[in-house]
Amino acid sequence: MVLLLVGLFIGCGVGTAYARARRGWTDYKAAKNTVPGARRTAWLLIRAVTTKVGVILLLLIGAVAYAATAPDHERAGPGPTPSPTTSTRAGR
């Protein structure tokens, strides 16, 4: 009876370890198969972000170049004419 219990105890320990190893191996294989797709997706996202940053950078460089070559001031239209001011004195 004791040998049966010892064998059962050892068998449960080995069986759970084996089941855990099989699940780990299955998870590893699944993750390994998804890596190429994830890598391809990551590179596509990096390419998209790099393209957007490049376009924005070119627009900013163009705006700076335009601002650097534009005249410093534009001619102003006719300004307002001064209006005469009348001061009134308070009577005493």
Side-chain angles (χ1 to χ4, degrees):
M1 181 77 162
V2 174
L3 287 177
L4 178 66
L5 291 176
V6 170
L8 189 62
F9 183 72
I10 291 173
C12 284
V14 171
T16 56
Y18 178 76
R20 189 178 306 132
R22 290 293 293 174
R23 282 194 308 268
W25 183 253
T26 304
D27 291 345
Y28 167 75
K29 289 298 232 177
K32 185 179 175 184
N33 289 335
T34 61
V35 167
R39 186 177 292 145
R40 187 173 21 253
T41 303
W43 279 113
L44 286 173
L45 290 174
I46 289 171
R47 187 181 314 151
V49 168
T50 304
T51 302
K52 288 178 184 177
V53 168
V55 168
I56 291 171
L57 189 63
L58 285 175
L59 288 173
L60 287 174
I61 290 171
V64 169
Y66 178 76
T69 59
D72 289 340
H73 55 78
E74 295 181 11
R75 290 186 180 240
T81 57
S83 60
T85 58
T86 58
S87 62
T88 59
R89 265 192 193 183
R92 290 188 187 195

